[in-house]
Amino acid sequence: MATYNGEEKQSVVELRHVMTNLGKQTNEEVDEMIREADVDGDGQINYEEFVKGPVRPLHRALQGFDPRTTTSMFADARCIGEKKINSEDCFIIKLCVDPQTLNARSEGPTEIIRHVLFDYFSQKTGLLVHMEGSHFTRIQSNGGDVVYWETTINSFLEDYRPVEGIMIAHSGHSIVTPFRFEEDGAQL
């Protein structure tokens, strides 16, 4: 998230990169989400307009409300322990994206090095209450400079209610933190 003239905005290019690597959204699904979120078509998503607007597919996917995406993400996960989240006993599920998938998602000057998710499911209800993700990427510019990005995402899901027989989180919040590293490993 960048700040321009006091407004927080997210580049559509950066958001596309995160969305196609976060879950299993297709390029077409991401295109639709971005069209809905980029209200004025300037290639930037204004944070204030985005969060005040209706719950759209991008909003649901970013906050983990989309049950299809959430379910498909855990097909190859494994339980690694237990932890208390907001006074709720949870199982910790770890998912590491396999090297073949990382290579398939890497393109041009962008190499995805690592993508790991830690997900916390309530032992009482079985519902997802918290997600922590880390995505590490190497990007080489045309000039040969190399930049490493690690993006971490923490999402808390709350207020589950049934919708057409499926328990859906109706509130929550996500914190996305990008870290930029230079080739020598120094953080900017």
Side-chain angles (χ1 to χ4, degrees):
M1 187 73 69
T3 303
Y4 302 100
N5 299 325
E7 290 186 353
E8 290 186 353
K9 293 187 176 188
Q10 175 69 51
S11 160
V12 168
V13 173
E14 293 169 356
L15 186 59
R16 168 180 297 290
H17 177 74
V18 170
M19 290 303 299
T20 55
N21 293 291
L22 172 65
K24 299 202 177 198
Q25 286 89 7
T26 65
N27 284 331
E28 292 78 24
E29 290 171 324
V30 173
D31 286 342
E32 179 184 340
M33 293 176 188
I34 288 174
R35 269 194 306 279
E36 291 176 353
D38 186 10
V39 178
D40 59 7
D42 68 350
Q44 300 288 324
I45 297 172
N46 180 299
Y47 179 77
E48 290 297 320
E49 290 175 7
F50 177 70
V51 296
K52 289 180 183 175
V55 177
R56 298 173 291 263
L58 177 61
H59 202 149
R60 284 194 307 271
L62 283 175
Q63 293 195 344
F65 296 159
D66 179 23
R68 183 181 59 148
T69 300
T70 302
T71 302
S72 69
M73 286 176 18
F74 303 110
D76 298 318
R78 61 186 174 91
C79 184
I80 61 167
E82 300 176 11
K83 184 176 180 180
K84 211 175 258 294
I85 301 290
N86 295 334
S87 72
E88 180 115 20
D89 291 324
C90 295
F91 293 111
I92 305 169
I93 306 297
K94 180 180 179 182
L95 175 63
C96 295
V97 177
D98 63 86
Q100 296 84 0
T101 302
L102 294 176
N103 285 337
R105 291 183 176 174
S106 298
E107 61 181 71
T110 303
E111 175 190 4
I112 302 167
I113 298 170
R114 182 187 71 237
H115 189 183
V116 179
L117 294 169
F118 294 94
D119 305 287
Y120 302 84
F121 289 88
S122 167
Q123 291 181 13
K124 182 178 178 182
T125 65
L127 298 172
L128 179 64
V129 296
H130 179 65
M131 294 180 6
E132 297 174 2
S134 173
H135 188 265
F136 193 64
T137 306
R138 177 184 182 271
I139 303 172
Q140 186 163 359
S141 70
N142 290 340
D145 294 333
V146 175
V147 176
Y148 293 90
W149 285 93
E150 181 170 23
T151 304
T152 58
I153 300 173
N154 281 289
S155 295
F156 293 88
L157 297 99
E158 302 160 350
D159 190 22
Y160 276 93
R161 290 183 258 157
V163 174
E164 297 178 12
I166 299 173
M167 294 300 285
I168 303 291
H170 282 71
S171 68
H173 63 279
S174 295
I175 301 166
V176 179
T177 309
F179 294 99
R180 181 179 176 190
F181 300 87
E182 292 299 318
E183 188 171 22
D184 63 5
Q187 183 178 346
L188 294 178

